[in-house]
Amino acid sequence: MARKTATMDSGPDAPAGAVPGLDRLPAGPALFTGRRAELAALRAAAARRVSGRCPVLVLAGRPGSGRTALAARFARTVAADYPDGVLFARLSAPDGGRVPPGRAARLLLEQLDPQAAVPLPGTVEDGRDEPGGVALREALAGRKVLLLLDDVRDAGQLWPLLADEPGCLVLATTAGPLTGIEDIDPVILGGLDRQASGELLADLVGGTRISCDPVGGADLAEACAARPATLRLMARWLRGNPKTAVTDAARELDRVVGEESGAEGAKGGKAGKAGKSGRTPRTAEAPKKKEGPQTAAEDKAADSAATPEPAGDPSTWVKPEPEPAEPVPVPDNDPLLGAFTLLYRGLPAAQARMLRTLTLAPAQTADPRTASALVGCPVPEAAATLAALAEQELLGEEAPAADGTPRYRVPGRLHQRLVRLREKEDRPAETELARARLLERLVRLTESARSLLEPDAGPAPEPLPAALRLHSAAHARDWLLGERELLLGAVADAIGQGDLDGSAGRLVTALLRALPLTGAAAPADLYRLHELVLTVAERNGRPRRASAALLNLGDLQVAAGRWDQAAAHYRAALEHARAVGDEPLCARALEGAAGCHRALGDAVRAADWYGRALGLRQSLGDHAAEARLLARVAEAHTAQRRFEEADREYRAALAVLRRIGDERGREAVGAALADLRERVDAGW
């Protein structure tokens, strides 16, 4: 395993468009410096084969070490070896939230095949994960695919996504060692070496400021712990302070880090006093590399610390799932946050406010449409502010939307500090207003998309301003599908906090109407939306709405052939409907549960539940439903070999159908009755 960085490595990238999915990878910095030895170690590890599953490469490094940029760089250089595509997913949110492996599997499956039938969320089916992981592994069989899984928290997230296909490759980045997957040798990132640090500073700062003061450049690199993200922030600060000497920049960074260390100590923090560079050891991070050569004994000790000896049966390649790991924080006395503090203090007020407010965006990801709603400014102004923050390395650039709209993301390494700044500098009422504006903006955009996709469905909503407008049905479809995860995330965030249920409910309703019009609405997405409707309904004491949501969830389970889960939803819907005496909902729930028992082969319970639903429909005077249920009861009697009862129910259904003039129904039921009598006469 590599232990030392090197100088610039431009590496051959796969040609644009040659491999599907390359555009999904994070753009990364334009200048990539050093890491030649780590790239070589990754290539060597990728060449090794593991029996029974795909190889797994783990790239470990603390926040700001450049692990995501390096992983994306490596993926581009080897993408040609995986012609079936590159898949990308983040397994942690910027706030440290853990993405469930089932959801990650569904996202990867959709990237692999947009037309794939994504399974509904559910229980563990094969001892490894939810149905999404099973479907993903089945879809990867026989393919050569590279999966880049960024910011993995623990092995419990990773192992359900590992393909049984040796031709695939999984590259995972993490802030700490993953102790749960056999046969991996993590590549551990420390700081850049002196030459790479100097080159990076010189190229970013510009002019001769670094070359004329090499000692100052070395001091600054040391103060930054030679980590790429910190070096980039300090380079941007130097560019904004052209009269400041490089040596003074190093001293200024040490001063700010010292202030942060003192503040942390005053709060009773456990961090020790920082040295000149403000660096303190942290037990949660991967072991830091030495800049000089290591001995073989040191290499072996470091390896054993990162990948402990497997426990249990050595023939099993997956250990039992560990407890979810806590997110690795960036301590207050980290030089990364010191560099951020220096840069943040020089920001114009509008940029600083935008940066703080973006922590309210779903997945902390925004484009000019959503960012302008959050801060309450025109879209062009929001676009300019976002671009300026990205130029200063304070926002990460995401892949653009389908219509070319730029998208940005708050880096996870800065999220905690930005939330604290927002809570300190912005009033709670301003924060709530920003969240409400965002939800209303998303409601209007979704309703506008629905109107374009179904122009004859009713009166069109009020037109959006030109900068926000969706221009065609194709544009609306692309927007809905491209922003689907963020839209669902916005709803989930709002309902999770529970203070904007009205706006969140309108967005859920708009999405339930609009997503099916795209022709690519995944049942899993509709399932998530109906679960959110159920949450709001139960929280607000609306049993009728809760019953309707449970019926919809049951119908989705029925469509997936999951009869037990569907029956549980129908029974819960029945309880809510009974609470308000809503007989039509009760009948609907009874009929749904009966259908599940029928599908499971339980004819006795099916006949009972159909009979109860029949009684309600008769009392309501719903003759069409009465005839349908009489036929269902007859079928259940037939399955129990109660032929006389079945004959009687079929004849009763025919009488009802004759009375309401349903000739097609009479033909169907008459054919079923004739078939029954023929079979009975034949000795069945």
Side-chain angles (χ1 to χ4, degrees):
M1 179 170 55
R3 299 290 171 183
K4 187 176 178 181
T5 59
T7 55
M8 183 75 176
D9 185 323
S10 57
D13 286 354
V19 178
L22 272 179
D23 55 344
R24 298 189 189 100
L25 298 179
L31 178 66
F32 186 88
T33 307
R35 305 303 194 194
R36 181 176 295 160
E38 285 86 345
L39 284 168
L42 289 171
R43 293 189 187 101
R48 295 197 294 268
R49 289 293 174 257
V50 180
S51 176
R53 63 162 168 82
C54 62
V56 180
L57 311 183
V58 173
L59 191 56
R62 64 189 302 172
S65 62
R67 60 179 188 260
T68 301
L70 178 58
R73 180 67 171 174
F74 171 75
R76 290 187 173 91
T77 62
V78 300
D81 297 332
Y82 301 92
D84 292 319
V86 175
L87 310 182
F88 174 76
R90 289 190 177 94
L91 271 67
S92 295
D95 62 359
R98 183 178 185 268
V99 175
R103 182 178 300 175
R106 292 193 293 274
L107 293 174
L108 293 167
L109 186 60
E110 288 179 340
Q111 293 177 26
L112 186 65
D113 181 5
Q115 304 303 320
V118 180
L120 298 182
T123 56
V124 174
E125 290 192 353
D126 70 343
R128 286 171 68 176
D129 66 330
E130 291 185 349
V134 178
L136 176 64
R137 290 193 295 276
E138 291 175 351
L140 290 172
R143 303 198 195 200
K144 290 188 174 181
V145 174
L146 171 60
L147 293 85
L148 175 50
L149 306 177
D150 189 33
D151 207 10
V152 178
R153 285 263 302 276
D154 52 69
Q157 287 179 296
L158 181 58
W159 63 257
L161 308 178
L162 300 185
D164 301 324
E165 174 55 57
C168 293
L169 175 68
V170 170
L171 172 58
T173 72
T174 181
L178 298 176
T179 56
I181 310 296
E182 312 293 355
D183 300 320
I184 59 172
D185 186 17
V187 176
I188 302 173
L189 293 184
L192 297 172
D193 65 15
R194 179 170 300 199
Q195 181 179 352
S197 299
E199 289 179 352
L200 184 61
L201 284 172
D203 285 328
L204 291 176
V205 174
T208 59
R209 295 171 75 183
I210 302 298
S211 59
C212 289
D213 189 2
V215 175
D219 287 345
L220 181 56
E222 182 183 354
C224 294
R227 297 208 301 275
T230 312
L231 289 166
R232 290 178 179 279
L233 291 177
M234 286 306 300
R236 295 296 174 184
W237 184 78
L238 276 169
R239 291 188 63 149
N241 294 270
K243 295 183 179 180
T244 302
V246 177
T247 303
D248 292 338
R251 283 197 290 265
E252 185 68 7
L253 177 58
D254 282 337
R255 183 187 64 79
V256 172
V257 169
E259 290 176 356
E260 299 289 351
S261 299
E264 187 178 18
K267 294 175 183 177
K270 296 182 180 180
K273 183 179 178 182
K276 179 177 180 181
S277 64
R279 288 169 283 170
T280 57
R282 291 165 183 84
T283 57
E285 68 173 24
K288 189 182 187 311
K289 300 184 298 181
K290 295 182 179 180
E291 292 192 357
Q294 285 184 300
T295 66
E298 287 172 327
D299 277 337
K300 183 176 181 180
D303 286 348
S304 62
T307 53
E309 287 297 319
D313 183 0
S315 64
T316 55
W317 58 271
V318 176
K319 291 183 179 180
E321 182 176 352
E323 291 296 319
E326 292 296 322
V328 176
V330 181
D332 286 340
N333 63 345
D334 193 293
L336 171 68
L337 294 185
F340 164 75
T341 299
L342 284 173
L343 201 55
Y344 178 82
R345 288 173 178 172
L347 289 178
Q351 292 184 17
R353 179 168 176 254
M354 172 72 81
L355 194 56
R356 297 191 305 270
T357 309
L358 286 181
T359 57
L360 301 171
Q364 287 71 58
T365 301
D367 61 13
R369 291 187 181 100
T370 51
S372 63
L374 280 168
V375 300
C377 72
V379 174
E381 182 180 327
T385 303
L386 290 169
L389 290 170
E391 184 180 1
Q392 297 181 77
E393 310 276 353
L394 294 172
L395 290 179
E397 294 189 46
E398 296 284 277
D403 60 358
T405 302
R407 299 166 75 238
Y408 304 90
R409 186 171 187 264
V410 176
R413 57 185 177 267
L414 303 180
H415 179 271
Q416 185 180 18
R417 173 58 61 88
L418 286 169
V419 169
R420 287 164 55 184
L421 286 169
R422 189 194 76 218
E423 293 171 347
K424 176 183 177 182
E425 299 183 26
D426 301 328
R427 296 193 302 271
E430 293 176 330
T431 297
E432 184 174 350
L433 180 59
R435 294 174 50 237
R437 281 196 304 259
L438 173 65
L439 288 173
E440 292 302 324
R441 172 67 52 83
L442 295 177
V443 169
R444 292 192 63 191
L445 283 165
T446 304
E447 290 179 342
S448 174
R450 180 194 58 78
S451 177
L452 289 168
L453 290 167
E454 195 178 29
D456 299 328
E462 181 182 350
L464 291 165
L468 296 170
R469 200 165 297 161
L470 304 173
H471 303 292
S472 65
H475 190 188
R477 182 180 186 276
D478 289 344
W479 181 81
L480 277 170
L481 295 179
E483 302 300 312
R484 177 175 52 188
E485 277 301 312
L486 293 181
L487 290 165
L488 293 171
V491 173
D493 289 347
I495 290 177
Q497 296 193 46
D499 55 349
L500 294 172
D501 281 352
S503 296
R506 287 193 295 276
L507 182 54
V508 170
T509 301
L511 288 170
L512 285 171
R513 292 174 178 171
L515 282 175
L517 300 176
T518 64
D525 295 333
L526 302 179
Y527 193 90
R528 289 170 63 187
L529 288 169
H530 287 302
E531 282 187 318
L532 293 172
V533 172
L534 175 63
T535 298
V536 173
E538 290 183 336
R539 182 163 63 209
N540 294 328
R542 301 178 63 182
R544 185 175 282 105
R545 188 168 179 81
S547 180
L550 284 162
L551 289 173
N552 288 321
L553 290 170
D555 292 344
L556 287 168
Q557 296 281 17
V558 164
R562 295 164 63 173
W563 308 107
D564 285 326
Q565 295 92 328
H569 282 117
Y570 289 134
R571 288 193 294 269
L574 178 62
E575 294 302 316
H576 283 291
R578 281 175 172 167
V580 290
D582 192 318
E583 292 189 345
L585 280 178
C586 287
R588 172 74 179 80
L590 287 165
E591 187 173 353
C596 293
H597 293 307
R598 174 173 175 260
L600 290 168
D602 189 346
V604 175
R605 297 184 72 184
D608 177 47
W609 286 73
Y610 276 133
R612 293 157 66 187
L614 173 61
L616 281 177
R617 292 296 187 187
Q618 288 173 329
S619 68
L620 293 170
D622 187 345
H623 299 303
E626 178 186 359
R628 181 181 67 250
L629 288 167
L630 283 166
R632 291 298 189 193
V633 172
E635 292 172 359
H637 285 324
T638 301
Q640 299 175 66
R641 305 184 65 81
R642 299 171 62 181
F643 303 126
E644 290 185 7
E645 290 89 341
D647 189 288
R648 183 182 65 245
E649 301 299 342
Y650 275 134
R651 285 186 283 108
L654 283 172
V656 174
L657 291 168
R658 188 180 300 112
R659 188 164 62 249
I660 64 177
D662 186 345
E663 293 300 324
R664 180 176 297 181
R666 286 179 59 193
E667 290 178 4
V669 173
L673 177 59
D675 181 68
L676 171 66
R677 290 174 174 175
E678 181 179 349
R679 288 172 178 266
V680 171
D681 291 342
W684 184 36

